[in-house]
Amino acid sequence: MATWIDGKVVDNIHWHENLFSLKVEAEIEPFTAGQFTSLALEINNEQVARPYSFLSSPGQQPLEFFFYVATDGALSNALVKLNVGDKVMLKHKANGFFTLDEVPASRDLWMIGTGTGIAPYFSILGSKEVWQRYDNIVLVEGVRSSRDLPYQNLIEKFSQEHPDKFTFQAFVSREDFPNAIKSRIPVSLGDGSLEEKVGLKLSPADSQVMLCGNPDMVKSSVELLKGRGFIKNLRRKPGQITTENYW
Ligand SMILES: Cc1cc2nc3c(=O)[nH]c(=O)nc-3n(C[C@H](O)[C@H](O)[C@H](O)COP(=O)(O)OP(=O)(O)OC[C@H]3O[C@@H](n4cnc5c(N)ncnc54)[C@H](O)[C@@H]3O)c2cc1C
């Protein structure tokens, strides 16, 4: 049985009407970067719970989460209304295998996400291990418009701390935005435009690829990568693709 504990909201940052972040103080068990917990609220006398990746790194307080407000979504529409001082329930113990323990060592690490699917990467990038294990780290975020790209200060910090190792590449599908690719991630994995823009080749010999967020993006990207010789990473048979679907 999962143990639920009470957390206290200490900040609710509304990036725009359907994108927000919560900072929550809670005494949870230690977690591994890339894992998720569940958050829950009482809605109409029922406990409504959903999984959410930690955006904050292990050991950081307050805990931080990054949310999309889903159309007619029960929990995200309630979480966005929380005020400082409000209570939110969390699972005491984190879950999940979207962590570096499950990703083999290699020269390059590609962290590819759509929208809020970038959250676990921030958690991983905020920990020391990833910088010791990989020579090149490429963070890729696919969004519809440039206003869906908050956390640029964090990206800037990683770029400044690791100028020879770290590259960020945005995909903005519905508008022209400086330095962004105006396309979809799977298309760009197929036509080579992501690699050309970043200046690094994807290859099964040198690359590990993490994919997180929209299941259509994950599925199409996996298919394209498989066509290029990549295989899914399993404990009994290590490969190069590790995935997390958000729905
Ligand atoms: C392992 C895991 C980690 C997750 N981490 C996050 C996270 O860090 N941030 C986050 O916002 N969500 C995350 N989700 C999704 C989250 O659990 C909920 O599904 C989401 O908040 C919607 O819940 P809801 O009750 O509002 O709507 P629901 O009725 O449960 O969902 C409505 C619909 O919204 C869409 N949807 C769900 N999540 C998203 C999303 N993130 N972006 C765009 N569309 C979405 C889907 O089409 C879904 O069918 C995660 C899911 C999983 C499985």
Side-chain angles (χ1 to χ4, degrees), residues 19-20 35-37 43 48-55 65-79 95-96 114-120 212-215 244-247:
L19 215 52
F20 68 105
Q35 285 191 307
F36 62 89
T37 185
I43 302 173
V48 180
R50 303 274 186 268
Y52 293 99
S53 304
F54 291 98
L55 180 140
F65 303 93
F66 179 35
F67 304 87
Y68 175 75
V69 184
T71 311
D72 299 326
L75 189 59
S76 57
N77 279 280
L79 290 170
N95 264 303
T114 50
T116 53
I118 199 167
C212 182
N214 183 321
E244 182 97 289
N245 285 313
Y246 270 7
W247 65 92

Side-chain angles (χ1 to χ4, degrees), residues 46-188:
E46 258 183 53
Q47 180 173 312
V48 180
R50 303 274 186 268
Y52 293 99
S53 304
F54 291 98
L55 180 140
S56 45
S57 299
Q60 276 183 359
Q61 278 287 354
L63 307 168
E64 188 161 347
F65 303 93
F66 179 35
F67 304 87
Y68 175 75
V69 184
T71 311
D72 299 326
L75 189 59
S76 57
N77 279 280
L79 290 170
V80 70
K81 296 192 187 99
L82 291 178
N83 292 309
V84 170
D86 284 348
K87 188 187 96 170
V88 58
M89 286 172 277
L90 298 87
K91 270 194 191 158
H92 193 222
K93 196 168 159 24
N95 264 303
F97 301 100
F98 198 64
T99 63
L100 284 191
D101 303 342
E102 305 293 326
V103 181
S106 73
R107 191 191 64 192
D108 308 331
L109 178 64
W110 295 73
M111 306 171 122
I112 301 179
T114 50
T116 53
I118 199 167
Y121 300 138
F122 285 133
S123 184
I124 293 170
L125 290 167
S127 336
K128 280 202 189 113
E129 189 193 351
V130 73
W131 303 104
Q132 291 157 356
R133 276 183 69 174
Y134 300 94
D135 291 349
N136 300 302
I137 298 173
V138 185
L139 177 66
V140 177
E141 184 175 15
V143 296
R144 286 179 179 169
S145 76
S146 56
R147 67 184 199 143
D148 303 328
L149 293 168
Y151 291 106
Q152 291 303 307
N153 56 337
L154 214 46
I155 289 167
E156 191 52 37
K157 175 177 164 286
F158 296 134
S159 301
Q160 281 177 6
E161 287 173 359
H162 307 276
D164 303 329
K165 263 189 191 210
F166 180 71
T167 308
F168 173 71
Q169 183 59 54
F171 280 73
V172 178
S173 61
R174 295 196 180 167
E175 69 184 48
D176 292 315
F177 188 65
N179 292 320
I181 299 177
K182 193 178 182 184
S183 179
R184 290 173 53 247
I185 291 167
V187 173
S188 168

